[in-house]
Structures are given as structure tokens and as C-alpha cells.
Amino acid sequence: MDQQKLKQRAHDVDVTVWVGKSGVDAVVDELNDQLADRDLVKVKFLRAARAGSSTEEKAAGLADSVNAQVIDTRGHTAVFHR
């Protein structure tokens, strides 16, 4: 499926993973489980998780950890696809 269609589908997906002060490492297993069940997962990066870096940087690091692709980032939310 192409990038544009995935972005359109992601619009209706609800946030199901929140990254907080415990950081990205705390949600790797949960994101892996969710990506195994569905093809798109939306992740919200809370203020405590960002701590001086951008949402794009945090999302890229998390995508590498779970072997997924970042489809889109808007504000402090990213959409992952595997």
C-alpha cells in the first residue's frame, strides 16, 4: 500500500500507545504486540517523553526498535506501519 493511502487510513485511527516519562524503551513490547495485530498504530509522545528532542527523532528511534516505518507525524503524534 502506498504512503498516501496509509496516511489517509491513519486519519481515523485512535491513539493506542502513549510514551511518557519512562521513555521509548517502556513501550517497545506494547507497540510490537499492537503492530502484530494491526497494520497501523498511532503513538502519542507526551511532553515528559520528548525532553529536548523532536517528535520526529523520537518516532524514528522507536520505529528502529520495532522494525517498523513511520508513516506520518503531526504535532506530537506519530503513525507506525509494519
Side-chain angles (χ1 to χ4, degrees), residues 12-39:
D12 294 327
V13 174
D14 291 328
V15 173
T16 55
V17 176
W18 289 265
V19 180
K21 66 182 175 183
S22 297
V24 170
D25 295 333
V27 299
V28 169
D29 290 336
E30 178 63 27
L31 184 56
N32 260 326
D33 291 345
Q34 289 193 25
L35 283 168
D37 292 340
R38 54 183 88 100
D39 61 337

Side-chain angles (χ1 to χ4, degrees), residues 1-19 31-32 34-35 38-45 55-64 66-82:
M1 190 173 287
D2 72 347
Q3 190 92 354
Q4 189 62 33
K5 287 188 189 243
L6 288 170
K7 282 183 181 184
Q8 289 172 348
R9 286 188 45 224
H11 180 73
D12 294 327
V13 174
D14 291 328
V15 173
T16 55
V17 176
W18 289 265
V19 180
L31 184 56
N32 260 326
Q34 289 193 25
L35 283 168
R38 54 183 88 100
D39 61 337
L40 292 174
V41 176
K42 203 175 268 189
V43 177
K44 175 85 170 192
F45 293 89
T55 300
E56 290 81 9
E57 292 170 341
K58 291 289 185 180
L62 183 55
D64 288 342
V66 297
N67 194 26
Q69 177 184 11
V70 178
I71 297 301
D72 194 17
T73 56
R74 294 205 178 189
H76 304 299
T77 304
V79 180
F80 294 86
H81 172 69
R82 185 174 340 162

